[in-house]
Amino acid sequence: MHDLPALEAPLHRRTALSVSAALLAAAPLLSACSGQARPGTAAVVGGERITTSALQAQVGDVRAAQNESGPTAAQLIQASPGLERVKLNKMIQTVVLERAAKDAGVSVGEKEVQDFRKAQLEKAGGSEKLAAAALEQAQLAPGQLDADARFKLLRDKLFDHYGSQDKAVEKLASAAKALHIEVNPRYGVWDAQQIVLGDQDTPWIVQRTRPEQAPAGA
């Protein structure tokens, strides 16, 4: 299976995440009394918020790359109407993965990320082809590829650590529950059972990433 589509499949075959938790900043929780999100908050994860500005930065990078893609620009934009939700889902799941990995004592080093990226580039036939495939198939801007590679490596290490995909997903679900995730209704409803932002098709794929395969993208 290709690398990038592995970010988008049913729960029993899924996994996805990829933005650094550094995007999160401590802030008040979503307003419980009014049922409305505080201005500037896209979600609250583990008592910290994902700001709408951080989310829009992710979206803006993708839109900029799409607009610079030449003749395919309009097609790419039209094919990604739910980009905000896609990115927020991934930002939340990244924090969940990092929490589960920390609990398991699992980590990924910078050299591992760079080695993985090098293998991707070689199989894709260069950075331009890789970037084009990543943008088209996984809505990833060029500057988001390192974080995506880190996610895939961390995910695979977590699976190896527990020796079972089912066990790893169980631990991911526990991590998500412990983080008490709340989402601004503007972006959908968090599905605690599926570990995904409702009406979203980028949950958790459990197939391992194999950079030696010819990648369809990142």
Side-chain angles (χ1 to χ4, degrees), residues 34-52:
S34 66
Q36 300 294 319
R38 290 182 181 275
T41 299
V44 175
V45 186
E48 299 185 331
R49 67 174 185 154
I50 295 176
T51 64
T52 54

Side-chain angles (χ1 to χ4, degrees), residues 4-209:
L4 290 180
L7 295 177
E8 321 190 11
L11 174 64
H12 299 299
R13 307 173 358 193
R14 33 184 174 176
T15 248
L17 307 151
S18 98
V19 171
S20 169
L23 290 173
L24 307 180
L29 295 176
L30 300 179
S31 173
C33 58
S34 66
Q36 300 294 319
R38 290 182 181 275
T41 299
V44 175
V45 186
E48 299 185 331
R49 67 174 185 154
I50 295 176
T51 64
T52 54
S53 60
L55 173 59
Q56 289 305 319
Q58 289 282 308
V59 173
D61 286 347
V62 174
R63 291 300 187 211
Q66 290 174 331
N67 280 315
E68 293 170 2
S69 62
T72 64
Q75 181 180 350
L76 289 173
I77 293 171
Q78 185 177 8
S80 54
L83 186 57
E84 283 187 338
R85 189 173 293 177
V86 168
K87 289 302 179 183
L88 181 57
N89 180 67
K90 192 162 186 181
M91 292 171 81
I92 294 171
Q93 289 183 328
T94 296
V95 183
V96 174
L97 178 62
E98 290 176 344
R99 172 66 173 266
K102 182 178 179 180
D103 291 345
V106 173
S107 63
V108 169
E110 183 61 26
K111 186 178 185 304
E112 293 174 279
V113 172
Q114 295 309 313
D115 287 346
F116 184 88
R117 294 279 287 115
K118 181 179 179 181
Q120 288 182 316
L121 287 168
E122 290 175 352
K123 291 300 179 181
S127 59
E128 290 187 6
K129 290 182 179 179
L130 178 61
L135 185 62
E136 178 182 356
Q137 299 180 23
Q139 299 172 359
L140 290 169
Q144 297 168 356
L145 295 180
D146 280 359
D148 185 63
R150 181 180 180 278
F151 154 69
K152 290 170 180 173
L153 289 167
L154 194 60
R155 175 200 64 196
D156 289 353
K157 280 194 172 185
L158 192 68
F159 292 158
D160 286 342
H161 176 80
Y162 287 111
S164 161
Q165 293 177 348
D166 288 343
K167 184 66 173 179
V169 170
E170 179 184 326
K171 293 297 184 179
L172 285 162
S174 295
K177 182 178 180 180
L179 288 167
H180 303 292
I181 296 165
E182 298 180 65
V183 176
N184 185 325
R186 168 184 174 183
Y187 302 105
V189 178
W190 179 253
D191 186 332
Q193 183 176 0
Q194 299 294 314
I195 324 175
V196 67
L197 189 55
D199 300 325
Q200 173 57 261
D201 293 327
T202 56
W204 306 70
I205 302 192
V206 296
Q207 278 90 348
R208 293 175 56 81
T209 297

